[in-house]
Amino acid sequence: MSAVFLASVLAITAPQDLPAQLSDVVVEGRRPDPRLTVSVTGAIPVEVIVRSDPAGIRCGAARFQYEPFAAPRLCWVRRPQGEMITLTVEGMDRLGPGWVAEWEGCEPRAAPTQCSILVPPGGASINVRIHRA
């Protein structure tokens, strides 16, 4: 019954130049932007997070992923290929002297709490390990 109904709807609403076969159908579209993923490790408090510029990532240690009464942790974002993303560790000043951020998957900047990456076509995974030097 539903096939008959669908056929009658197509007959009423479809233009006269329908493809003769499924192989004649052309689907056009755009792939989603590449995905940039961040993971944060280390014995750090909930206040230490990584933020991105442009905005989109707000990621802390995985054990705080569902921290009640805090803003949600967003550890991935889709951004256009070739866009420059800067990541910054915020809150390290609360840890005291001797703490460092080791970046993997992006280029460290002059400030040791920052790194940058041009979003590659296939996306990227960035790890930051925060620990005592």
Side-chain angles (χ1 to χ4, degrees):
M1 176 92 168
S2 62
V4 172
F5 176 73
L6 179 59
S8 63
V9 170
L10 287 175
I12 294 170
T13 61
Q16 297 301 321
D17 57 343
L18 284 176
Q21 299 178 12
L22 185 57
S23 62
D24 296 334
V25 175
V26 176
V27 177
E28 294 182 5
R30 177 172 99 76
R31 290 183 175 226
D33 289 329
R35 182 173 167 153
L36 187 69
T37 304
V38 174
S39 66
V40 181
T41 60
I44 56 174
V46 67
E47 297 87 7
V48 178
I49 60 170
V50 174
R51 287 189 190 264
S52 66
D53 181 25
I57 291 179
R58 183 185 186 283
C59 184
R63 69 182 181 277
F64 300 121
Q65 184 175 0
Y66 302 109
E67 184 70 15
F69 309 112
R73 304 293 183 188
L74 305 171
C75 295
W76 66 272
V77 66
R78 290 197 181 272
R79 301 301 302 181
Q81 175 185 338
E83 182 175 62
M84 176 66 75
I85 304 289
T86 299
L87 299 170
T88 304
V89 178
E90 295 181 352
M92 276 187 57
D93 54 332
R94 297 176 184 172
L95 300 176
W99 286 81
V100 295
E102 288 183 2
W103 297 97
E104 188 180 308
C106 65
E107 291 297 316
R109 307 240 338 198
T113 58
Q114 291 185 329
C115 79
S116 294
I117 185 172
L118 283 174
V119 178
S125 291
I126 298 167
N127 302 305
V128 59
R129 188 175 83 110
I130 302 168
H131 62 93
R132 212 176 260 288

